[in-house]
Amino acid sequence: MNPIRLVLVDDHQVFRKGLRDCAEAVGMQVVAEAGNGHQALAVIAGVQPDVVVLDPETADGGGLSTVRAVADNRPRTPVLVVSACDDAVLVSEALCVGATGYASKRCSAEALLAAITATAHGLTVIDERVQNHVRTAVADSAARLLVPANPFPSLSRRELQVLELLACGMEPARIARELTLERHTVHNYVSCVVRKLGAENREQAAALARSHGLGHRRPGWPPQDAGRSRSRWAVLPGHLGDQHDKQRPDRAAMGANAASDESTRLRDLDRFTDQRRSHHEQAIDPA
């Protein structure tokens, strides 16, 4: 089987030498090296490598333009970008201009050689470190796209919630239950919303909200008791539950104590009554 023929493009000579030694140790063949993009285009045309390993941040600043030129002029020659930068923007730019894969210089020698081998066999390679950065960037972008724009920037967050529920057709009493607010508080919010929107009444404000896309909340969400605490205690075995049981008075003990207190009270009352009776009898019959 013919060895994989490489062209190394990097302006750090030490990195090129280290990668050459690692590649040749596993049977690959480095057929040319270049310190910048301009030199790379010349040597690639002459040696026709199986893979171009390229750092896009060369001193001449022509790394990505080199990738594009190779992709345009030699589309069958894959380019594996190897960079110390894991920035998702650079990764996407490199792939957009024609790079076959992207690997981090922070990966191990074994991982980099495996990426080169996969690239030579026509696979697209993005190493795990770079994938994590790309996933995070994509997730952040998606989250920003999914956040709806506020059509009424003059309203506070709570006022916008009230308007949304008005647009759903809810009366203030129902809104109070939904948001766990007092009714008079909701009426105050409704008044503020109507005034800020320049509407004549809450029905007109609700219609205006629906015309801007509000009021399409799915039925039953959030639940009417959303935000309310069902219990003051989160009972977990061996933790808060035990502590709660220790602090909570025992009902049987409370009953026993109450009975004991009642017995003492009655006993004292009887003693007081006896004393009064004796005194009264002495007053009638001193002898």
Side-chain angles (χ1 to χ4, degrees):
M1 184 162 125
N2 294 329
I4 297 174
R5 304 171 72 253
L6 307 177
V7 168
L8 308 182
V9 183
D10 196 296
D11 55 3
H12 288 84
Q13 185 178 4
V14 174
F15 177 79
R16 295 203 311 267
K17 183 178 187 309
L19 182 54
R20 172 193 281 271
D21 292 343
C22 291
E24 291 178 346
V26 297
M28 297 180 185
Q29 182 180 0
V30 178
V31 295
E33 296 181 21
N36 56 54
H38 179 73
Q39 296 174 1
L41 293 176
V43 299
I44 291 170
V47 299
Q48 300 182 1
D50 297 318
V51 179
V52 176
V53 180
L54 180 145
D55 184 344
E57 298 180 305
T58 53
D60 64 346
L64 291 182
S65 61
T66 304
V67 175
R68 184 188 297 275
V70 173
D72 291 342
N73 300 321
R74 302 186 59 83
R76 297 178 66 110
T77 301
V79 178
L80 176 64
V81 171
V82 180
S83 174
C85 178
D86 301 335
D87 181 67
V89 174
L90 181 58
V91 176
S92 61
E93 288 179 348
L95 296 176
C96 285
V97 298
T100 306
Y102 199 108
S104 171
K105 283 186 175 180
R106 297 184 180 89
C107 70
S108 65
E110 292 79 7
L112 182 53
L113 294 174
I116 293 172
T117 302
T119 303
H121 288 86
L123 301 177
T124 298
V125 178
I126 300 179
D127 79 11
E128 185 176 2
R129 181 188 299 272
V130 176
Q131 285 181 35
N132 291 336
H133 285 278
V134 173
R135 288 193 192 101
T136 301
V138 171
D140 291 344
S141 298
R144 287 193 294 270
L145 290 174
L146 291 174
V147 174
N150 181 1
F152 305 108
S154 64
L155 301 184
S156 68
R157 182 184 63 85
R158 181 64 87 181
E159 290 168 347
L160 191 62
Q161 287 178 326
V162 171
L163 179 60
E164 169 77 27
L165 298 181
L166 282 175
C168 290
M170 293 186 188
E171 296 294 324
R174 173 70 184 281
I175 295 174
R177 292 196 301 272
E178 289 278 341
L179 301 179
T180 62
L181 297 173
E182 298 293 334
R183 288 191 183 187
H184 68 85
T185 303
V186 171
H187 281 290
N188 290 338
Y189 278 125
V190 170
S191 298
C192 290
V193 168
V194 170
R195 175 175 52 80
K196 288 183 178 181
L197 297 185
E200 295 182 359
N201 48 49
R202 69 170 183 258
E203 289 77 13
Q204 191 178 93
L208 180 62
R210 286 191 290 271
S211 70
H212 283 78
L214 299 182
H216 300 295
R217 192 188 63 160
R218 66 179 186 271
W221 180 261
Q224 293 185 21
D225 59 353
R228 298 180 183 176
S229 174
R230 294 182 177 272
S231 172
R232 295 177 58 195
W233 293 90
V235 180
L236 301 177
H239 187 47
L240 292 179
D242 293 347
Q243 181 181 1
H244 175 45
D245 291 340
K246 292 176 183 177
Q247 293 179 353
R248 181 175 56 194
D250 183 72
R251 292 186 179 276
M254 289 175 62
N257 291 337
S260 176
D261 292 343
E262 180 67 11
S263 177
T264 302
R265 188 181 69 81
L266 292 174
R267 188 169 58 251
D268 292 343
L269 180 60
D270 290 342
R271 185 181 299 112
F272 175 76
T273 303
D274 292 340
Q275 291 174 352
R276 294 282 295 176
R277 184 181 300 112
S278 176
H279 177 74
H280 179 68
E281 291 173 349
Q282 290 175 7
I284 294 175
D285 186 7

Coordinates of all heavy atoms in Angstrom, one line a residue, residues 78-135:
P78 N -7.4 17.0 -0.6 CA -8.1 17.5 0.6 C -7.1 18.3 1.5 O -5.9 18.1 1.5 CB -8.4 16.2 1.4 CG -7.4 15.2 0.8 CD -7.1 15.6 -0.6
V79 N -7.7 19.3 2.2 CA -6.9 20.1 3.0 C -7.4 20.0 4.5 O -8.6 20.2 4.8 CB -7.0 21.6 2.6 CG1 -6.2 22.5 3.6 CG2 -6.6 21.8 1.2
L80 N -6.5 19.5 5.3 CA -6.8 19.4 6.8 C -6.2 20.6 7.5 O -5.0 20.8 7.5 CB -6.2 18.2 7.4 CG -6.4 18.0 8.9 CD1 -7.9 17.9 9.2 CD2 -5.6 16.8 9.4
V81 N -7.1 21.5 8.0 CA -6.6 22.7 8.7 C -6.3 22.3 10.1 O -7.1 21.6 10.8 CB -7.7 23.8 8.7 CG1 -7.4 24.9 9.6 CG2 -8.0 24.3 7.3
V82 N -5.1 22.7 10.6 CA -4.6 22.4 11.9 C -4.2 23.7 12.5 O -3.3 24.3 12.1 CB -3.4 21.4 11.9 CG1 -3.0 21.1 13.3 CG2 -3.8 20.1 11.2
S83 N -4.9 24.1 13.6 CA -4.7 25.4 14.2 C -4.7 25.3 15.7 O -5.4 24.5 16.3 CB -5.7 26.4 13.7 OG -5.6 27.6 14.3
A84 N -4.0 26.3 16.3 CA -4.1 26.4 17.8 C -5.4 27.2 18.2 O -5.7 27.2 19.3 CB -2.9 27.2 18.3
C85 N -6.1 27.7 17.2 CA -7.3 28.5 17.5 C -8.5 27.6 17.3 O -8.7 26.9 16.2 CB -7.4 29.7 16.5 SG -8.9 30.6 16.8
D86 N -9.4 27.5 18.3 CA -10.6 26.7 18.2 C -11.8 27.5 18.0 O -12.9 27.0 18.2 CB -10.7 25.9 19.5 CG -9.5 25.0 19.8 OD1 -8.9 24.6 18.9 OD2 -9.3 24.6 21.0
D87 N -11.7 28.7 17.6 CA -12.8 29.6 17.5 C -13.8 29.1 16.4 O -13.4 28.7 15.3 CB -12.3 31.0 17.1 CG -13.5 32.0 16.9 OD1 -14.1 32.3 18.0 OD2 -13.7 32.4 15.8
A88 N -15.0 29.1 16.8 CA -16.0 28.5 15.9 C -16.2 29.3 14.6 O -16.5 28.7 13.5 CB -17.4 28.4 16.6
V89 N -15.9 30.6 14.6 CA -16.0 31.4 13.4 C -14.9 31.0 12.4 O -15.2 30.8 11.2 CB -15.8 32.9 13.8 CG1 -15.8 33.7 12.5 CG2 -17.0 33.4 14.7
L90 N -13.7 30.8 12.9 CA -12.6 30.4 12.1 C -12.9 29.0 11.5 O -12.6 28.7 10.3 CB -11.3 30.4 12.8 CG -10.0 30.0 12.0 CD1 -9.8 30.9 10.8 CD2 -8.8 30.0 12.9
V91 N -13.4 28.1 12.3 CA -13.7 26.8 11.9 C -14.7 26.8 10.7 O -14.5 26.2 9.7 CB -14.3 25.9 13.0 CG1 -14.7 24.5 12.5 CG2 -13.3 25.7 14.1
S92 N -15.8 27.6 10.9 CA -16.8 27.7 9.9 C -16.3 28.3 8.6 O -16.6 27.9 7.5 CB -18.0 28.5 10.4 OG -17.7 29.8 10.7
E93 N -15.4 29.4 8.8 CA -14.9 30.0 7.6 C -14.0 29.0 6.8 O -14.0 29.0 5.6 CB -14.0 31.2 8.0 CG -14.9 32.4 8.5 CD -14.0 33.6 8.9 OE1 -12.8 33.4 9.0 OE2 -14.6 34.7 9.1
A94 N -13.2 28.2 7.5 CA -12.3 27.3 6.9 C -13.1 26.2 6.1 O -12.8 25.9 4.9 CB -11.4 26.6 7.9
L95 N -14.1 25.7 6.7 CA -15.0 24.7 6.0 C -15.7 25.3 4.8 O -15.9 24.7 3.8 CB -15.9 24.1 7.0 CG -15.3 23.3 8.2 CD1 -16.4 22.8 9.1 CD2 -14.5 22.1 7.7
C96 N -16.1 26.6 5.0 CA -16.9 27.2 3.9 C -16.0 27.5 2.7 O -16.5 27.4 1.5 CB -17.4 28.6 4.4 SG -18.9 28.4 5.4
V97 N -14.7 27.8 2.9 CA -13.8 28.0 1.7 C -13.3 26.8 1.1 O -12.5 26.8 0.1 CB -12.7 29.0 2.1 CG1 -13.3 30.3 2.5 CG2 -11.8 28.4 3.1
G98 N -13.5 25.6 1.7 CA -13.1 24.3 1.1 C -12.3 23.4 1.9 O -11.9 22.3 1.4
A99 N -12.0 23.7 3.2 CA -11.2 22.7 4.0 C -12.0 21.4 4.1 O -13.2 21.4 4.3 CB -10.9 23.3 5.3
T100 N -11.3 20.3 4.1 CA -11.9 19.0 4.3 C -12.2 18.7 5.8 O -13.1 18.0 6.2 CB -11.1 17.9 3.7 OG1 -10.8 18.3 2.3 CG2 -11.7 16.6 3.8
G101 N -11.3 19.2 6.7 CA -11.4 18.9 8.1 C -10.7 20.0 8.9 O -10.0 20.9 8.4
Y102 N -10.9 19.9 10.2 CA -10.3 20.9 11.1 C -9.9 20.2 12.4 O -10.7 19.5 13.0 CB -11.3 22.0 11.5 CG -10.7 23.3 12.0 CD1 -10.7 24.4 11.2 CD2 -10.2 23.4 13.3 CE1 -10.2 25.6 11.7 CE2 -9.6 24.5 13.8 CZ -9.6 25.7 12.9 OH -9.1 26.9 13.4
A103 N -8.6 20.3 12.7 CA -8.1 19.7 13.9 C -7.3 20.8 14.8 O -6.8 21.8 14.3 CB -7.1 18.6 13.6
S104 N -7.3 20.5 16.1 CA -6.7 21.4 17.0 C -5.2 21.0 17.2 O -4.9 19.8 17.3 CB -7.4 21.4 18.3 OG -6.7 22.2 19.3
K105 N -4.3 22.0 17.3 CA -2.9 21.7 17.6 C -2.8 21.2 19.1 O -1.7 20.7 19.4 CB -2.1 22.9 17.4 CG -1.7 23.2 16.0 CD -0.7 24.4 15.9 CE -0.3 24.6 14.4 NZ 0.6 25.7 14.3
R106 N -3.8 21.3 19.9 CA -3.7 20.8 21.2 C -4.0 19.3 21.4 O -3.9 18.8 22.4 CB -4.7 21.6 22.1 CG -4.4 23.1 22.2 CD -5.4 23.8 23.2 NE -5.2 25.2 23.3 CZ -5.7 26.1 22.5 NH1 -6.6 25.7 21.5 NH2 -5.5 27.4 22.6
C107 N -4.5 18.7 20.2 CA -4.7 17.3 20.3 C -3.4 16.5 20.4 O -2.3 17.0 20.1 CB -5.6 16.8 19.1 SG -4.7 16.9 17.5
S108 N -3.5 15.2 20.7 CA -2.3 14.4 20.7 C -1.8 14.1 19.4 O -2.5 14.2 18.3 CB -2.7 13.1 21.5 OG -3.6 12.3 20.7
A109 N -0.6 13.6 19.3 CA 0.0 13.2 18.0 C -0.7 12.1 17.4 O -1.0 12.1 16.1 CB 1.5 12.8 18.2
E110 N -1.2 11.1 18.2 CA -2.0 10.0 17.6 C -3.3 10.5 17.0 O -3.7 10.0 16.0 CB -2.2 9.0 18.8 CG -1.0 8.3 19.3 CD -0.2 9.1 20.3 OE1 -0.7 10.2 20.6 OE2 0.9 8.7 20.7
A111 N -3.9 11.4 17.7 CA -5.2 11.9 17.2 C -5.0 12.7 15.9 O -5.8 12.6 14.9 CB -5.9 12.8 18.2
L112 N -3.9 13.5 15.8 CA -3.6 14.2 14.6 C -3.3 13.3 13.4 O -3.8 13.5 12.3 CB -2.5 15.2 14.8 CG -2.1 16.1 13.7 CD1 -3.3 16.9 13.1 CD2 -1.0 17.1 14.1
L113 N -2.5 12.3 13.7 CA -2.2 11.3 12.6 C -3.4 10.6 12.2 O -3.6 10.3 11.0 CB -1.1 10.4 13.1 CG 0.3 11.0 13.4 CD1 1.2 9.9 14.0 CD2 0.9 11.6 12.1
A114 N -4.3 10.2 13.1 CA -5.6 9.6 12.7 C -6.4 10.5 11.9 O -7.1 10.1 10.9 CB -6.3 9.2 14.0
A115 N -6.4 11.8 12.2 CA -7.2 12.8 11.4 C -6.6 12.9 10.0 O -7.4 13.0 9.0 CB -7.2 14.1 12.1
I116 N -5.3 12.9 9.9 CA -4.7 12.9 8.5 C -5.0 11.7 7.7 O -5.4 11.8 6.5 CB -3.1 13.0 8.7 CG1 -2.8 14.4 9.3 CG2 -2.5 12.8 7.3 CD1 -1.3 14.5 9.7
T117 N -5.0 10.5 8.4 CA -5.3 9.3 7.7 C -6.8 9.3 7.2 O -7.1 8.9 6.1 CB -5.1 8.1 8.6 OG1 -3.8 8.0 9.0 CG2 -5.4 6.7 7.9
A118 N -7.7 9.7 8.1 CA -9.1 9.8 7.7 C -9.3 10.8 6.5 O -10.1 10.5 5.6 CB -9.9 10.2 8.9
T119 N -8.6 11.9 6.6 CA -8.7 12.9 5.5 C -8.3 12.3 4.2 O -8.9 12.5 3.1 CB -7.9 14.2 5.9 OG1 -8.4 14.7 7.1 CG2 -8.1 15.2 4.8
A120 N -7.2 11.6 4.2 CA -6.7 10.9 3.0 C -7.6 9.9 2.4 O -7.6 9.7 1.2 CB -5.3 10.2 3.3
H121 N -8.5 9.4 3.2 CA -9.5 8.4 2.8 C -10.8 9.1 2.5 O -11.9 8.4 2.3 CB -9.7 7.3 3.8 CG -8.5 6.4 3.8 ND1 -7.4 6.6 4.6 CD2 -8.2 5.2 3.2 CE1 -6.5 5.6 4.5 NE2 -7.0 4.8 3.6
G122 N -10.8 10.4 2.3 CA -12.0 11.1 1.9 C -13.0 11.4 3.0 O -14.2 11.8 2.7
L123 N -12.7 11.3 4.2 CA -13.6 11.6 5.3 C -13.4 13.1 5.8 O -12.3 13.7 5.7 CB -13.4 10.7 6.5 CG -13.5 9.2 6.2 CD1 -13.2 8.4 7.5 CD2 -14.9 8.9 5.7
T124 N -14.5 13.7 6.3 CA -14.4 15.0 6.8 C -14.2 14.9 8.3 O -14.9 14.2 9.0 CB -15.7 15.8 6.6 OG1 -15.9 15.9 5.2 CG2 -15.7 17.1 7.3
V125 N -13.1 15.5 8.8 CA -12.7 15.3 10.2 C -12.8 16.7 11.0 O -12.3 17.7 10.5 CB -11.3 14.8 10.3 CG1 -10.8 14.7 11.7 CG2 -11.2 13.5 9.5
I126 N -13.5 16.6 12.1 CA -13.4 17.8 13.0 C -13.2 17.2 14.4 O -14.0 16.4 14.9 CB -14.7 18.6 13.0 CG1 -15.0 19.1 11.7 CG2 -14.7 19.7 14.1 CD1 -16.3 19.9 11.6
D127 N -12.1 17.5 15.0 CA -11.7 16.8 16.3 C -12.7 17.2 17.4 O -13.4 18.2 17.3 CB -10.3 17.0 16.6 CG -9.9 18.3 17.3 OD1 -10.8 19.1 17.6 OD2 -8.7 18.6 17.4
E128 N -12.6 16.5 18.5 CA -13.6 16.6 19.6 C -13.6 18.0 20.2 O -14.6 18.6 20.5 CB -13.4 15.5 20.6 CG -14.4 15.5 21.8 CD -14.2 14.4 22.7 OE1 -13.2 13.6 22.6 OE2 -15.0 14.3 23.7
R129 N -12.4 18.5 20.4 CA -12.2 19.8 21.1 C -12.9 20.9 20.2 O -13.7 21.7 20.7 CB -10.8 20.2 21.3 CG -10.5 21.5 21.9 CD -9.1 21.9 21.9 NE -8.3 20.9 22.6 CZ -8.0 20.9 24.0 NH1 -8.5 21.9 24.7 NH2 -7.3 20.0 24.5
V130 N -12.7 20.8 18.9 CA -13.3 21.8 18.0 C -14.8 21.6 17.9 O -15.6 22.6 17.9 CB -12.6 21.7 16.6 CG1 -13.3 22.7 15.6 CG2 -11.1 22.1 16.7
Q131 N -15.2 20.4 17.9 CA -16.7 20.1 17.9 C -17.4 20.8 19.0 O -18.5 21.3 18.9 CB -16.9 18.6 17.9 CG -16.6 17.9 16.6 CD -16.9 16.4 16.7 OE1 -17.8 16.0 17.4 NE2 -16.1 15.6 16.1
N132 N -16.8 20.7 20.2 CA -17.4 21.3 21.4 C -17.6 22.8 21.2 O -18.6 23.3 21.6 CB -16.6 21.0 22.7 CG -16.6 19.5 23.0 OD1 -17.6 18.8 22.7 ND2 -15.6 19.0 23.7
H133 N -16.6 23.4 20.7 CA -16.7 24.9 20.5 C -17.8 25.2 19.4 O -18.5 26.1 19.6 CB -15.3 25.4 20.0 CG -14.3 25.6 21.1 ND1 -14.3 26.6 22.0 CD2 -13.3 24.7 21.5 CE1 -13.3 26.5 22.9 NE2 -12.7 25.3 22.6
V134 N -17.8 24.4 18.4 CA -18.8 24.6 17.3 C -20.2 24.4 17.9 O -21.1 25.1 17.6 CB -18.5 23.7 16.1 CG1 -19.6 23.8 15.1 CG2 -17.2 24.1 15.5
R135 N -20.4 23.3 18.6 CA -21.7 23.0 19.2 C -22.2 24.2 20.1 O -23.4 24.6 20.0 CB -21.7 21.7 20.0 CG -21.6 20.5 19.2 CD -21.9 19.2 20.1 NE -21.5 18.0 19.4 CZ -20.4 17.3 19.7 NH1 -19.6 17.8 20.5 NH2 -20.2 16.2 19.0

